[in-house]
Amino acid sequence: MSRDPLVVGNVVGDVLDPFIKSAAMRVIYNNKELTNGSELKPSAITNQPRVEIRGRNARTLYTLVMVDPDSPSPSNPTKREYLHWLVTDIPETTNASYGNEIVSYESPRPTAGIHRLVFILFRQSVSQTIYAPGWRQNFNTRDFAAVYNLGDPVAAVFFNCQRENGCGGRRYNK
């Protein structure tokens, strides 16, 4: 039985294939570091987070993707995955603000149910032009990684979010 929170939270499966973590990524909202499965309200995530990549080689570049696989609702995710943010060419040892923002940060505002919001980090083999998709809904992280030869993710973290006064548990439909 896996204890990996990405597996337990169905992030591996719904968004990603199994991968080996090989980079250190920290996601920080309002001076609080995210841990997998933490709960944040929409009011806490209105501004883009600080995303730090730790390492020793500033010539290594990364691509960051932020998606909501539960849009518009976990029980009927017809817009899976909704793309909230896309940044490329982030140098290792820095944070996402040093990268090239391809799709600007859009604050998640779930209206129904508990949504998982997932940050996925890819190591780039080269600096390349990555084009913004023409839409945010129905983005596919696996297809995106394949088109740009990004390979497997090197890190991922997710948090749960529901509307400010929301309550109730997650429903999984298989």
Side-chain angles (χ1 to χ4, degrees):
M1 185 73 188
S2 175
R3 292 274 167 243
D4 182 337
L6 294 170
V7 173
V8 174
N10 283 338
V11 170
V12 169
D14 287 349
V15 180
L16 303 171
D17 294 323
F19 70 96
I20 307 295
K21 181 180 175 186
S22 61
M25 172 177 65
R26 295 176 63 207
V27 179
I28 301 157
Y29 276 106
N30 306 317
N31 297 317
K32 281 189 63 182
E33 183 174 351
L34 272 188
T35 56
N36 276 313
S38 54
E39 302 265 343
L40 291 176
K41 295 289 188 183
S43 58
I45 57 175
T46 54
N47 298 319
Q48 72 185 46
R50 179 177 171 89
V51 179
E52 299 175 349
I53 303 164
R54 289 206 216 121
R56 294 189 251 329
N57 186 350
R59 289 192 308 271
T60 302
L61 299 175
Y62 293 87
T63 294
L64 175 73
V65 175
M66 178 187 179
V67 294
D68 176 352
D70 300 315
S71 181
S73 74
S75 59
N76 187 26
T78 57
K79 296 179 180 171
R80 170 181 294 173
E81 301 155 29
Y82 190 90
L83 179 63
H84 281 278
W85 200 24
L86 175 58
V87 185
T88 65
D89 299 329
I90 306 165
E92 190 171 80
T93 75
T94 68
N95 65 65
S97 66
Y98 289 88
N100 180 14
E101 190 174 64
I102 305 296
V103 175
S104 62
Y105 180 81
E106 182 181 309
S107 177
R109 290 182 199 85
T111 54
I114 299 172
H115 291 239
R116 296 163 295 167
L117 287 125
V118 188
F119 293 88
I120 306 118
L121 190 67
F122 295 95
R123 186 175 288 119
Q124 296 173 212
S125 55
V126 295
S127 178
Q128 62 181 316
T129 301
I130 291 182
Y131 297 97
W135 58 89
R136 288 180 185 256
Q137 62 192 35
N138 301 120
F139 181 81
N140 186 300
T141 301
R142 289 179 180 101
D143 290 351
F144 171 79
V147 165
Y148 290 104
N149 294 310
L150 294 172
D152 289 337
V154 293
V157 64
F158 81 101
F159 67 94
N160 294 312
C161 184
Q162 61 183 313
R163 65 182 197 275
E164 286 305 316
N165 56 357
C167 62
R170 164 172 304 288
R171 292 215 325 256
Y172 290 105
N173 293 349
K174 285 286 178 201

